[in-house]
Amino acid sequence: MALIIDRNTTYRIPKNPASPIRHALEMVKRDHEQVFGAIPRLISAEDEQADVVVRYAVPEDRCPERPEAFSFRFVKDGGRTQLHIVAGDDLGLVYGMLEYSGKHLGVDPFWFWADLPPVRRSRVELPECDCDSTEPFVRFRGWFVNDEVCLIGWKDEYPPTREVWQPVFEALLRCGGNMVIPGTDLPRHGVHADLAAEMGLWITHHHAEPLGAEMFLRAYEGKKASYQENPEMFEALWEEAIEKQKDRNIVWVLSFRGQGDQPFWIQDPAFDTPEKRGEMISRVVRKQYEMVRSKVTDPQCCVALYGEISELYKAGYISIPDDIIKVWADNGYGKMVSRRNGNENLRIPSLPGPADDGKHGIYYHVTFHDLQASNHLSLFPAPAKLITDEVMNSFRARAKDYVLVNSGNIRPHVYTLDLIRELWTRGEADTDEHLGSFVRRMFPSGSSEIAEMFRDYARRTIPYGPNDDDRAGDEFYHHPARQIVGHWLQGRSEHRDRRLYWATGVADFPEQVEWFRRTCADAVQGWRELKERIERLLPELAEPDRRRLKDHLLLHVELHLSGCEGFDALGRSYSAYREGNYPLAFVYASQAMWNYRKGQVALQEAEHGKWAHFFRADWLTNIESTVQNMDTLRRWLRMHGDSPDFFAWYKRFLMPETEKYIYLENTHRNPLSDDELAMRLADKFGV
């Protein structure tokens, strides 16, 4: 037997539903209309007939009693079969409704972010088979919507409105997530935290904003941010934050870092030993813990073992109560070791040891921003197997009570966020099987060749160091390039740029520039070949799949290719400059600018339809800034021999020989633009 769902299906909902239920009902209502072309009828009167009943569980249902669980029960009502979606709590009902939407209506968790609407159908048959939800492997599962400049700049309103945040939180819920840090240091009057709570999510906090409290220096301008000297001021902020959030589902972050997300002893240098620093952090965490417990029954608390706090904890200088979840962090590149700090890269293992009692979790990056080599606009640069290996190894090390994933701007990272969904749900994942399933969902008219292209993407990324996570993301082509231009134009070329040691090692500046040039040049051919393979496949796909492949793979390839070509040309420009060949240096600088601009064009082409302006706030990788830097460089180079009339290079290289000796000075007063001069000189020089 099967229950038929179609355009005439009616839904019975609880009377006066809580806000998470209301939000989920709106999603199901929209999904039903997308699939069947008709808005479903919603009723709340118990004496009216309904096909799908959404309600809270009663003992007779024999549903799992754990939090957030749900059940499907097929019930005979007279001669009619009903599907009852039942759960013991609000979030359980939300997950039950979204499971119905995903499994039976065919709505993908990332339908919004991947432009993948459900298939239109006239009817759906549901086998009459009772079932219970499986328990997720991880208790607290969520996203940190961090470095979210695309979400911030997408629409004109600031801070971002419900229109921006609702699809973020919906996708998280559809992935089985139950926890979120909704943005980074956004104005407190924004809707982000309120909407997340309305939709049923647990709220947690940035490690630099313990308890979600306001930053000290914002609240107390001109005061010294020292807990040692002003404990009552800090505690007043913590008290205010606890009071505001005590009636919500909160995973309270206990921590003590300095203002601006840096070690507190930078502002308070009296703490000049690890013993002093560890004792202060331990004391503050204990105080915050006691304050929360005085207002909240059985609170859920965690401590982020991030940066210097991790190092102090592993060295034995910090003491944390066992019932507080200790959250270990990867290095931003997916490896569970300490992160690189400038040129220092100690790679201290960042997982609990056998003697670390209590609860543990992880903070994990599928996207990162660090002004060096991270992936912000582009896909995770290492093979996806690194993610599965590291996360599953964390689970084996007992770090499985909490998984917080840095999700960035969501849209560029759908693939890896979907992989994490499987890991936190099942506790394991087969990377190849997941990729095959993902590709079949995203590109139904495509072929297995697309899966191989995703694998090839990770093979093409630049391995800039000895470790398997030393793979270059999009920022590799931009921050170091701008550093090089600045160092060069400031007249410091005789000195090494210490900011680049993390990549080049200790080397003179010309060698540093050449290292980046050669490294990028060596990668160009691989990226070109992958781009050509994708472009050859596109005509074979249905239009929606073609657009999706452009947005979710080709765009990322073009960001890498344009970056490699741009950096190669920049390095050639510097070499020509050192040889005193300023016209050739000018040409190469212009080519660097043109190549980097290809990345801008690729972003703009991905801003179709609802995505208009999505990348206009690219302030972190900041391709526009790189283009401007190259333009500044070529203008500066043109002053080396073509100034002040900006006609000398035209006369020397481009003017016909017969004209050079007879032209009248006063008839040649319109110098070529930088672009035109560079293009014509490039032809002349054959570059």
Side-chain angles (χ1 to χ4, degrees), residues 16 19 204 206 330-331 354 391 396 474 550 564 566 608 618 623 650:
N16 302 316
S19 65
T204 191
H206 191 295
D330 75 312
N331 63 348
V391 173
R396 286 190 286 269
D474 49 277
K550 288 181 179 179
C564 285
H608 51 84
D618 168 30
I623 299 176
Y650 173 82

Coordinates of all heavy atoms in Angstrom, one line a residue, residues 16 19 204 206 330-331 354 391 396 474 550 564 566 608 618 623 650:
N16 N -1.5 27.0 17.4 CA -0.5 28.0 17.9 C 0.9 27.4 17.9 O 1.6 27.3 18.9 CB -0.9 28.4 19.3 CG -2.3 29.0 19.4 OD1 -2.7 29.8 18.6 ND2 -3.0 28.5 20.4
S19 N 7.5 29.1 16.9 CA 8.1 29.7 15.7 C 9.0 28.7 14.9 O 8.9 28.8 13.7 CB 9.0 30.9 16.2 OG 10.1 30.5 16.9
T204 N 25.6 29.7 19.3 CA 26.9 29.7 20.0 C 27.7 30.9 19.6 O 27.2 31.8 18.8 CB 27.6 28.4 19.8 OG1 28.7 28.3 20.7 CG2 28.1 28.2 18.3
H206 N 31.4 33.3 18.9 CA 32.8 33.4 18.4 C 33.7 33.3 19.6 O 33.4 33.9 20.7 CB 33.0 34.8 17.7 CG 34.3 34.9 17.0 ND1 35.5 34.9 17.6 CD2 34.6 35.1 15.6 CE1 36.5 35.1 16.7 NE2 35.9 35.2 15.5
D330 N 41.3 23.0 13.7 CA 42.3 22.7 12.7 C 43.1 24.0 12.3 O 42.9 25.0 12.9 CB 41.6 22.2 11.4 CG 40.9 23.3 10.6 OD1 40.1 24.1 11.3 OD2 41.0 23.4 9.4
N331 N 44.0 23.9 11.4 CA 44.9 25.0 11.1 C 44.3 25.9 10.0 O 45.0 26.8 9.5 CB 46.2 24.5 10.7 CG 46.2 23.7 9.4 OD1 45.1 23.3 8.9 ND2 47.3 23.4 8.8
P354 N 45.0 10.7 25.3 CA 44.3 9.7 26.1 C 44.0 10.2 27.5 O 43.0 9.7 28.1 CB 45.3 8.6 26.1 CG 46.2 8.8 24.9 CD 46.2 10.3 24.7
V391 N 38.5 14.5 10.0 CA 37.3 14.5 10.8 C 37.1 13.1 11.5 O 36.8 13.0 12.7 CB 36.1 15.0 10.0 CG1 34.8 14.8 10.9 CG2 36.2 16.4 9.6
R396 N 37.6 9.4 16.3 CA 38.3 8.3 17.0 C 39.0 8.8 18.2 O 39.2 8.0 19.2 CB 39.3 7.6 16.0 CG 38.6 6.8 15.0 CD 39.5 5.9 14.2 NE 40.3 6.7 13.3 CZ 40.0 6.9 12.0 NH1 38.8 6.4 11.5 NH2 40.7 7.6 11.2
D474 N 42.6 30.6 -3.3 CA 42.6 31.8 -4.2 C 43.4 32.9 -3.6 O 43.9 33.7 -4.3 CB 41.1 32.2 -4.4 CG 40.3 32.3 -3.2 OD1 39.8 31.3 -2.7 OD2 40.2 33.4 -2.6
K550 N 29.2 25.6 -14.3 CA 30.0 26.9 -14.4 C 30.2 27.5 -13.0 O 31.3 28.0 -12.7 CB 29.3 27.9 -15.3 CG 29.3 27.5 -16.8 CD 28.6 28.6 -17.6 CE 28.7 28.3 -19.1 NZ 27.9 29.3 -19.9
C564 N 47.2 32.3 -11.4 CA 48.5 31.8 -11.8 C 49.1 32.6 -13.0 O 50.3 33.0 -12.9 CB 48.4 30.4 -12.3 SG 48.2 29.2 -10.9
G566 N 48.4 35.7 -13.7 CA 48.7 37.1 -13.3 C 50.0 37.1 -12.5 O 50.8 38.0 -12.7
H608 N 24.4 35.9 -11.9 CA 23.2 35.8 -12.7 C 21.9 35.7 -11.8 O 22.0 35.2 -10.7 CB 23.2 34.7 -13.7 CG 23.5 33.4 -13.0 ND1 22.6 32.6 -12.4 CD2 24.7 32.7 -12.8 CE1 23.1 31.5 -11.9 NE2 24.4 31.6 -12.1
D618 N 33.7 41.5 -2.4 CA 35.0 40.7 -2.3 C 36.1 41.5 -1.7 O 36.9 42.0 -2.4 CB 35.4 40.2 -3.7 CG 36.8 39.6 -3.7 OD1 37.2 39.0 -2.7 OD2 37.5 39.7 -4.8
I623 N 40.1 40.7 -5.4 CA 40.7 40.7 -6.7 C 40.8 42.1 -7.3 O 41.8 42.5 -8.0 CB 39.9 39.8 -7.7 CG1 39.9 38.4 -7.1 CG2 40.5 39.8 -9.1 CD1 39.1 37.4 -7.9
Y650 N 56.4 55.1 -27.8 CA 55.7 55.0 -29.1 C 56.7 55.4 -30.2 O 56.8 54.7 -31.2 CB 54.5 55.9 -29.1 CG 53.9 56.0 -30.5 CD1 53.0 55.0 -30.9 CD2 54.2 57.0 -31.4 CE1 52.5 55.1 -32.2 CE2 53.7 57.1 -32.7 CZ 52.8 56.1 -33.1 OH 52.3 56.1 -34.3

